[in-house]
Amino acid sequence: MKFIKKASSIYYTGFLSVALTFTASAQNGTSKQFNQPGYYQMALGDLQITALSDGTTPQKLNELLQDGKPGEIKQLMKANFQSDTLECSVNAYLVKTGDKLILIDAGAADAYGPALGRLTSSLEKIGYKPEQIDAVLLTHIHMDHIGGLTKGSELTFPNADVYISKIEADYYLSSVNKEKAPKEMKRFFDGATQKLSPIIKAGKLKTFEFGNEIFPGIMPVASPGHTPGHSFYALESKGQKIVFWGDIMVSDVVQFADPSITSVYDYDRKEAMITRKKALADAAAKGYWVGISHSSFPGIGHISSDGKKFKLIPINYSSNGIGQ
Ligand SMILES: [Zn+2]
């Protein structure tokens, strides 16, 4: 009896300290550190797709999202059991073709603190070294997608060509555009210079125009709004298709229910909204897979729709055995 009482008091103390840690971490904006597996694999025809976690970072959705009706964002979060501060996933994707290893986005590295920057360790968990990556396809030039390209002046993926749309590179590598940009957006230009200069110096930056495949079965798709030259990547193999959406959706629950809600990081929020609605309707109508950078890891699923609202059906529930 004495033993049981002691054990239960230890349990209670432990539980309380965990609860306090969670509260403190939400308050001071630091991320919780868990050791999740960091990868998730599926087959798409002849391609092997691996979602790679770069980690998670706390985001206050009330501050990140805008243009909702009064109280709408809070209500949607509550209805979906989300707290005010969401632990937001940062996902990248590895595509293994017959002879190439292609990374879609490069994670944040150390740009947003220690809870991110796990991409290369996630990659190593599936047996690959950064030197083996042949190409990195960037959806857009924000630090949580390009941060992992370099450490100082050193290239993280030294043998990879780095692809970005010409519109995106031209916009963010221009000092004239930086001058004209609103104050809170200027850091994106600094990030572009910092991370892309070593790539340019090594002769590894490849800019593309929309309309042509980059590799067989891999097509960049213009998806402006979040940034001017934002690119989706559509992959097809043996009649199966996945489209990687980058940051056209930044919240799992809020923007699926109301795609009119925009992000404070959108370059052109109206254009972002139009692109988002079009992408959601197309994916729901045609039934292909989507991969979303900031949807809960692995961020892969199908889109369902009742004609007004949309919903992500995560791969865990919608795979029908594909690639499991
Ligand atoms: Zn992002």
Side-chain angles (χ1 to χ4, degrees), residues 90 140 142 144-145 226 246-247 250 293-294:
V90 176
H140 64 294
H142 279 172
D144 52 322
H145 300 256
H226 184 63
D247 277 13
V250 294
S293 303
H294 301 304

Side-chain angles (χ1 to χ4, degrees), residues 183-241:
K183 204 170 81 192
E184 64 279 10
M185 298 288 193
K186 290 194 195 294
R187 64 194 167 97
F188 297 137
F189 295 84
D190 299 334
T193 304
Q194 182 199 338
K195 292 292 171 180
L196 295 183
S197 294
I199 310 281
I200 295 168
K201 207 172 155 197
K204 297 258 176 209
L205 191 75
K206 312 279 175 196
T207 58
F208 58 78
E209 313 267 1
F210 290 105
N212 297 307
E213 285 186 340
I214 296 178
F215 296 103
I218 302 182
M219 177 72 106
V221 181
S223 42
H226 184 63
T227 59
H230 189 285
S231 178
F232 292 166
Y233 291 99
L235 277 60
E236 289 193 68
S237 179
K238 292 202 163 157
Q240 293 184 47
K241 181 173 176 179

